[in-house]
Amino acid sequence: MKHIKQVGIIILLSISASLSYAQITYNILNYGAVKNDTGKLSTNAINKAIMVCNGKGGGRVVIPAGSYRSGTIMMLNNVELYLENGAILYASTDHKDFPKQKRPAYRSQKDAGGWYALIYAESANHISITGKGTIDGQGARQLPRPNPLNGDLDGRPRSILFISCNNVTVEGINMVSSGIWNQHYLNCEDVNVKGIYVFNHSTRNNDGIDIDDCRRFTLSDCVIDSDDDGIVLKSTGSAGCEDITISNCIVSSFCNAIKCGTESTGGFKNITVSNCVIKPSRNKEMPHYGQAMGVSGISLIIVDGGVMNGININNIVIEGTQCPIYVRLGNRARKHIDTAPLPGIGTMKNIQISNINAYNTGNYGSSITAVNGAVIENITLNNIQLNNQGGLEPGTFIESAANVSEAAAGYPQPTVWGNLPGYGLFIRNVKNINLSGIILTSLAPETRTPVIAVNADNIWMSNLKTDRSKQQTELQFSGVTNYRSDVAYQVETLH
C-alpha cells in the first residue's frame, strides 16, 4: 500500500511538472522588443527570447498585441512562436536585416548559395507558429538584391522558410504581402498547417504556400488568396513529396490554384486533395502577371523527370478559371543542381479525379497530355461537370488537333496553347483512361468538339453528356485503339 501511494505521488508530481512546463511563456517585451514603433527593430529581442526558451527545454515565445518590425528570426527546437490577436509582425525592408543563411545540407533547384527569410529554421524539431496575429512581409517594399545568386527569386525574403525540419505546426495565423513565396517548407516531415488566412498580392512570385519535397504533410481549413500559384506541391530536390493531404480549403489565384509542379525532380506519391473551393480572387488590382482570370484550377505536372503515382482529387468546386483541369507529362528536363545528371522523361500513373463542378470557366479547355514517346497511364475522370463560356469566333482558337504543338520543353501551363480545339477535354498520349459521368456545357454556343483524343489506347467511356445536337460530332479520334462505350456517340475519326 505504501508503495502504491509513493507511485501515485510520483505520477501527480510528474503531471504537475508537465502542466507547469506547458504554461511557461517568454514575452518578447521582457527581452527588449519595441512595441508600436516600427521604426525600431525587435529582431534581437525576439531571437533572444527564442534562445532562452530553447535553452530551458522549450515553451512558448509570445508576441503580444501591437506592431513590431523584425529581420530574420531563427526558430529553434521545442519553441512555439505565438502571435496574440492584434499582434502584427512586420518584415524589415532593409537588406542588412536579412543575412544570407548558409547553404543547407539538403540541395534543391532554388538554392543557389543560401536563403533569405523572415522566419527561418533548418533541421529544427517540434517548432510551431500559432495564434491569431498577423505576419506582414511588406512585399511591395522588398527590393531585389544587387547581383543575386538566386536567379529569378533574386534574394527577396520568404515570410516563412523551414528546411529539413520535423514535427512542425503552423496554425491560426494571418499572412499577408510576402516578399516572394509566402511560406516554403522544404524537405520537412510531419507538418500540420491548419486554419491560416493568406492574402498575398504585393509583388511577383507571391505564392500562397509551397510544399516542397515533404513527407507526411497535412494542410487543412485554410483560406488562401494569392497573386501567383495558390497551393503548390513542388519537388525541387531529390526527396520528393509523399503522403500529402489537402482538405477543406478555399483557394484563389491569378495563376494556378492547386498544383503539383512545375519542378518534379523527386516526384509526387500518395497525394489527396479533397473538399476544396477554387474561386476568383478578391483582389481588385491588376495582377502582377497580367492574368485577370486564374490560369488553372487543378494542375498535375511532371516535366523535370520524376514519378507521379497515386493521386486522388475529389469534391472540388471551381468557379471562373481559364482551365479547370490540366494534366501534363512534359520534358523540360531541368536539373535540380548543376552536378545532377540530365533528367529523362518522367512517368505519371494511377490518377483519379472525381466529383468536380467547374462553372463560368474560360475557354482554354481541360487537357490530359504527354509528349511523344511517353504516356500517362491509368487515369480516371468520374462525375465531372465542366461549364465554359463558349462563343469563340473562328481564328480565336486552335482549329485542329494536329496544330496543337508538342511544346515538350515549354513552360507547363495551359497558356502555352490557349484555346484548344476540344472545349471539354483534349487527350493525347494516354493509356488506360476511364471517363464516366462527364457533363460538358457552355454558356454561349460552341463550334468546337467536346472531346478529342489523339494516340490513346484503352478508352472506356460511359454516361457522357454534352449540349450538342445529335447531328454534331461529340468525339474526334486519331490513333485511338481499344475504345469502349455504353453509348454510340457521334465520332469523327481523324486521319
Side-chain angles (χ1 to χ4, degrees):
M1 190 71 175
K2 181 178 179 181
H3 175 70
I4 294 173
K5 288 182 179 180
Q6 288 176 337
V7 171
I9 291 170
I10 292 172
I11 292 173
L12 289 172
L13 288 173
S14 297
I15 293 171
S16 177
S18 297
L19 291 172
S20 176
Y21 167 77
Q23 293 170 355
I24 295 176
T25 61
Y26 303 84
N27 191 315
I28 64 169
L29 294 178
N30 296 330
Y31 296 89
V34 182
K35 182 177 180 177
N36 294 331
D37 184 356
T38 55
K40 297 179 180 178
L41 282 172
S42 294
T43 313
N44 291 338
I46 298 171
N47 280 321
K48 185 175 181 181
I50 289 172
M51 291 177 65
V52 171
C53 179
N54 165 260
K56 293 185 177 181
R60 171 181 284 184
V61 171
V62 176
I63 301 180
S67 300
Y68 309 86
R69 184 169 66 95
S70 180
T72 298
I73 297 167
M74 304 292 293
M75 292 293 290
L76 300 175
N77 292 349
N78 305 315
V79 173
E80 174 190 7
L81 185 64
Y82 181 81
L83 287 83
E84 286 187 348
N85 188 23
I88 305 176
L89 179 66
Y90 290 98
S92 172
T93 57
D94 193 329
H95 287 161
K96 73 175 185 298
D97 295 327
F98 298 98
K100 183 173 71 174
Q101 304 303 314
K102 66 179 179 65
R103 172 177 278 171
Y106 185 78
R107 297 297 312 284
S108 65
Q109 191 269 332
K110 298 299 181 185
D111 171 26
W115 299 91
Y116 303 93
L118 173 60
I119 304 176
Y120 180 83
E122 182 192 356
S123 300
N125 297 316
H126 297 283
I127 57 174
S128 304
I129 304 175
T130 64
K132 296 297 182 182
T134 298
I135 297 171
D136 187 335
Q138 298 206 83
R141 300 177 60 197
Q142 300 290 353
L143 300 178
R145 290 175 180 263
N147 303 314
L149 291 174
N150 280 27
D152 64 336
L153 302 186
D154 62 31
R156 287 170 289 154
R158 290 156 167 75
S159 290
I160 296 175
L161 174 57
F162 292 162
I163 302 175
S164 301
C165 295
N166 299 322
N167 298 297
V168 176
T169 298
V170 176
E171 184 172 355
I173 60 172
N174 306 294
M175 302 189 70
V176 300
S177 304
S178 67
I180 192 163
W181 293 0
N182 180 49
Q183 44 190 323
H184 184 187
Y185 304 89
L186 175 61
N187 191 40
C188 293
E189 295 187 341
D190 300 303
V191 182
N192 181 22
V193 178
K194 182 177 181 180
I196 66 169
Y197 171 85
V198 174
F199 191 81
N200 209 28
H201 293 278
S202 59
T203 185
R204 59 191 177 87
N205 307 113
N206 265 179
D207 290 2
I209 180 172
D210 291 84
I211 303 167
D212 188 353
D213 289 329
C214 291
R215 278 81 60 201
R216 300 181 302 280
F217 194 115
T218 64
L219 173 70
S220 66
D221 306 300
C222 298
V223 177
I224 296 175
D225 194 327
S226 62
D227 206 84
D228 206 325
D229 299 333
I231 297 173
V232 196
L233 276 64
K234 290 183 176 290
S235 183
T236 63
S238 59
C241 276
E242 186 170 343
D243 304 331
I244 312 291
T245 69
I246 298 167
S247 61
N248 304 329
C249 292
I250 301 171
V251 190
S252 305
S253 167
F254 286 124
C255 289
N256 306 285
I258 300 176
K259 181 170 81 168
C260 284
T262 53
E263 294 83 4
S264 64
T265 300
F268 308 92
K269 182 179 178 182
N270 301 340
I271 313 295
T272 72
V273 181
S274 62
N275 302 332
C276 291
V277 171
I278 296 169
K279 60 178 295 181
S281 172
R282 291 186 294 108
N283 184 45
K284 302 304 179 183
E285 298 179 3
M286 178 59 69
H288 290 270
Y289 288 107
Q291 178 77 46
M293 179 183 279
V295 174
S296 76
I298 299 164
S299 286
L300 304 176
I301 302 164
I302 291 284
V303 291
D304 299 324
V307 174
M308 180 177 287
N309 190 359
I311 310 297
N312 194 330
I313 314 291
N314 184 42
N315 286 353
I316 311 294
V317 173
I318 302 171
E319 178 190 358
T321 189
Q322 289 282 10
C323 169
I325 300 170
Y326 176 77
V327 181
R328 176 65 169 163
L329 174 55
N331 191 27
R332 179 174 62 178
R334 186 165 69 182
K335 298 180 180 183
H336 72 288
I337 55 175
D338 291 340
T339 57
L342 190 70
I345 300 175
T347 62
M348 300 180 74
K349 57 186 177 181
N350 302 324
I351 298 168
Q352 180 165 302
I353 302 173
S354 58
N355 300 314
I356 307 297
N357 182 4
Y359 67 99
N360 291 343
T361 67
N363 286 319
Y364 282 0
S366 294
S367 61
I368 303 168
T369 65
V371 295
N372 291 331
V375 292
I376 297 170
E377 296 186 70
N378 306 338
I379 181 166
T380 296
L381 274 69
N382 174 56
N383 195 22
I384 309 292
Q385 180 169 295
L386 306 179
N387 172 259
N388 71 307
Q389 292 175 348
L392 291 177
E393 298 293 331
T396 62
F397 59 91
I398 302 172
E399 297 188 5
S400 168
N403 294 332
V404 178
S405 65
E406 176 79 352
Y411 189 77
Q413 193 167 262
T415 50
V416 169
W417 297 313
N419 299 323
L420 288 165
Y423 75 85
L425 284 171
F426 181 82
I427 299 164
R428 185 164 64 187
N429 299 326
V430 175
K431 181 179 180 180
N432 302 335
I433 180 168
N434 184 359
L435 306 174
S436 62
I438 311 294
I439 300 175
L440 305 174
T441 61
S442 55
L443 296 175
E446 267 287 0
T447 60
R448 297 177 292 169
T449 303
V451 179
I452 296 176
V454 179
N455 298 333
D457 182 30
N458 285 343
I459 297 179
W460 295 273
M461 183 176 292
S462 63
N463 198 22
L464 169 69
K465 293 182 172 64
T466 74
D467 54 4
R468 310 282 278 180
S469 71
K470 291 185 178 180
Q471 289 72 40
Q472 292 176 307
T473 299
E474 292 174 311
L475 311 177
Q476 285 185 358
F477 285 172
S478 175
V480 171
T481 56
N482 299 317
Y483 164 66
R484 279 153 284 183
S485 172
D486 61 347
V487 176
Y489 299 105
Q490 292 289 324
V491 180
E492 177 183 0
T493 301
L494 305 175
H495 300 286

